[in-house]
Amino acid sequence: MDSAQLPEDFEAHPPQAGAVSASTPPSTPPSTPPSAPGPVVGRDQSPSEGKPPIVPGFAFRPTAIAGAYEVEMIPFRDARGTFSRAFCADTFRAQGLMDRFVHANLSGNPAKGTLRGLHLQEQPRAEVKLVRATRGRVQDVAVDLRPASPTYLRWAGVELCADKQNALYVPEGCAHGFLTLEDQCEVFYLVSDVYAPDLARTYRWDDPAFGIEWQIAPTLISDRDAAAQDYRP
C-alpha cells in the first residue's frame, strides 16, 4: 500500500518496542491443519526512505478447524487513540484466504442467551464468513462439515468481543452459529456469496455428533433453528 491510500488523518510511525513485525505468508495451505500454534502476521507497509512505516495489520490465529482463523486486528496507536483496518483484500489474499465479499450483514440481539445457527450454504454458492462483534460479547462457533477435511466434524469456538475487536474467519463447508453472552449484542459479518434459500441448510445446535460446548444455556432460538434435525453425512 502506498501513502496515498492512507486515511487523510492518518500518520504512520515505526512500531514501538515489542510490536509484532511482518512475516511472509505461510507455506502450508489453509485447507490443512496448521503445524504450529502461533499466529501468522500480516501487515500493510508503505515504502519510504530507510525503514518503512508500519500501518494497521492482522494476526491470523489457527483454530481447531483447518482453514478457520481467529483474526485479530493490529492497530496503529498514538495519543489520539487507535486506528485499525477491519479487512484488507491484499493481506487476506497473501494468506490464501477469501479476498472478495459481496454482502455485509448486521445482526442485532437485545437478549443474552440468543442463539443463531447452525447455518450453512451448500455449493455452488458456498460461503466464507468473516464475523465480528461490534457490540457486546458472543461465542462464535464453526463446525467442519467437509468430509475430506482432516478436521471433519470438529468444532471451533471463539469469544468475539467488541472491545477486543477480533473476528472469526469461517471457510466454505463449515456450519456457523453464535450465542450472545450478554444483552445488547451486535454481530457484523462479511459473506462471500449471495443468499440462496434453496441451498441453505440448518443443523441442530446441540447435535451430539458435534458436541459443542456452549458457554451458557441458550434461552432464545428461532422456530427454524429449534426444529433443525441431527446432521447426517
Side-chain angles (χ1 to χ4, degrees):
M1 154 189 278
D2 61 38
S3 58
Q5 295 174 281
L6 296 175
E8 182 179 353
D9 194 38
F10 182 82
E11 300 173 11
H13 295 280
Q16 302 298 316
V20 183
S21 60
S23 67
T24 57
S27 57
T28 303
S31 60
T32 59
S35 58
V40 175
V41 177
R43 282 189 185 273
D44 300 321
Q45 292 188 332
S46 301
S48 65
E49 294 183 3
K51 191 173 183 179
I54 300 297
V55 299
F58 308 86
F60 298 89
R61 302 187 181 279
T63 70
I65 291 179
Y69 294 88
E70 179 182 7
V71 183
E72 294 185 3
M73 294 189 292
I74 303 174
F76 167 80
R77 301 178 186 273
D78 66 9
R80 300 168 297 177
T82 64
F83 176 85
S84 302
R85 179 159 287 122
F87 171 73
C88 173
D90 288 344
T91 304
F92 274 62
R93 188 183 311 115
Q95 306 303 326
L97 304 180
M98 175 61 67
D99 62 356
R100 177 182 177 273
F101 295 93
V102 300
H103 282 173
N105 301 330
L106 189 64
S107 170
N109 306 272
K112 176 181 178 180
T114 299
L115 187 143
R116 296 179 185 255
L118 300 163
H119 302 151
L120 176 145
Q121 190 159 289
E122 293 185 340
Q123 295 288 4
R125 307 220 76 108
E127 300 170 319
V128 172
K129 295 179 180 178
L130 183 64
V131 188
R132 69 175 68 253
T134 50
R135 185 178 183 184
R137 294 182 304 117
V138 304
Q139 181 185 6
D140 204 49
V141 170
V143 180
D144 191 345
L145 298 183
R146 302 165 294 181
S149 169
T151 55
Y152 178 53
L153 292 184
R154 293 187 194 175
W155 64 277
V158 174
E159 184 173 310
L160 303 180
C161 177
D163 291 338
K164 189 177 180 182
Q165 297 186 327
N166 58 336
L168 180 63
Y169 179 92
V170 182
E172 292 182 3
C174 292
H176 170 258
F178 66 82
L179 174 66
T180 61
L181 302 177
E182 55 188 58
D183 291 339
Q184 302 301 333
C185 288
E186 187 177 78
V187 177
F188 178 86
Y189 54 103
L190 302 177
V191 184
S192 66
D193 211 330
V194 298
Y195 178 57
D198 57 324
L199 297 172
R201 304 291 180 263
T202 301
Y203 300 107
R204 185 175 152 196
W205 63 275
D206 59 349
D207 191 331
F210 307 149
I212 300 172
E213 298 176 3
W214 297 101
Q215 293 185 32
I216 61 175
T219 56
L220 181 58
I221 308 173
S222 72
D223 292 341
R224 184 187 74 165
D225 290 352
Q229 302 297 308
D230 288 348
Y231 173 73
R232 290 180 177 83

